Amino acid sequence: GAGVSQSPSNKVTEKGKDVELRCDPISGHTALYWYRQRLGQGLEFLIYFQGNSAPDKSGLPSDRFSAERTGESVSTLTIQRTQQEDSAVYLCASSPPSIYEQYFGPGTRLTVT
Amino acid sequence: SQQGEEDPQALSIQEGENATMNCSYKTSINNLQWYRQNSGRGLVHLILIRSNEREKHSGRLRVTLDTSKKSSSLLITASRAADTASYFCATDSSYKLIFGSGTRLLVRP
């Protein structure tokens, strides 16, 4: 079946612009996660959704970052007034209820110039 | 802060050799997972070991867990060039996964 999809796959933006990243989880997966991965580093947890509520936003690095989820489907991660340090790969993952394994999308590579 | 730390950071071996990667973590866990990442994009789940398990096998993969030492190891036997990737351990408490910085494995043909 279809896996987690993310769009765009690559995004180049100018410093100060807003960007919106999209994640389509696997159908039936109630949990959805956003991570950030800087070059050569591990994954930083950003936010977790259970359904359309976000019980844990603790990883969002600043108030320029926000995320929404519609029901148990699409999620968007918005970064306002982008900075160069926002350049990274943004990965989305989903998982079914009561399953620990996470299924990852291919990521969006964001470059802020 | 990162929970898991992998060791070594990078590993280069010849095809056919075994590759061993280690992971240490700081707090108690429910389970530990290993993931693989090709070319800096999406991660693929490899194996999960629960806190009450000591060893688990999946194909050419063998994972051990020592909760007293807060450490785990991933062994890939009879490595292939296609195993070249970055490998991450991830620990969880409840829903959140916390990833280490990864081991970059290069398998030379």
Side-chain angles (χ1 to χ4, degrees), chain A residues 37 43 104-105, chain B residues 21 33-47 60-61 74 76 80-89 99 103 105 107:
Chain A
Q37 185 179 31
L43 278 69
F104 281 81
Chain B
M21 289 159 268
Q33 304 180 42
W34 285 89
Y35 286 80
R36 166 191 163 131
Q37 184 179 39
N38 287 84
S39 305
R41 300 305 282 252
L43 278 72
V44 175
H45 180 264
L46 294 177
I47 196 165
R60 294 184 295 114
L61 306 180
L74 171 67
I76 304 174
R80 304 166 182 167
D83 294 329
T84 294
S86 291
Y87 292 82
F88 295 88
C89 69
F99 287 82
T103 292
L105 173 66
V107 181

Side-chain angles (χ1 to χ4, degrees), chain B residues 85-97:
Chain B
S86 291
Y87 292 82
F88 295 88
C89 69
T91 54
D92 81 309
S93 54
S94 182
Y95 58 85
K96 187 190 297 189
L97 283 183

Side-chain angles (χ1 to χ4, degrees), chain A residues 35-39 86-91 106-110, chain B residues 37 40-41:
Chain A
Y35 297 89
R36 177 171 72 178
Q37 185 179 31
R38 290 199 167 106
L39 187 64
D86 299 334
S87 295
V89 175
Y90 289 82
L91 290 157
T108 293
R109 186 180 301 279
L110 175 66
Chain B
Q37 184 179 39
R41 300 305 282 252

Side-chain angles (χ1 to χ4, degrees), chain B residues 15-33:
Chain B
E15 199 165 30
E17 293 179 339
N18 296 341
T20 300
M21 289 159 268
N22 302 297
C23 168
S24 59
Y25 57 92
K26 297 188 176 81
T27 63
S28 62
I29 59 172
N30 295 320
N31 62 69
L32 185 143
Q33 304 180 42

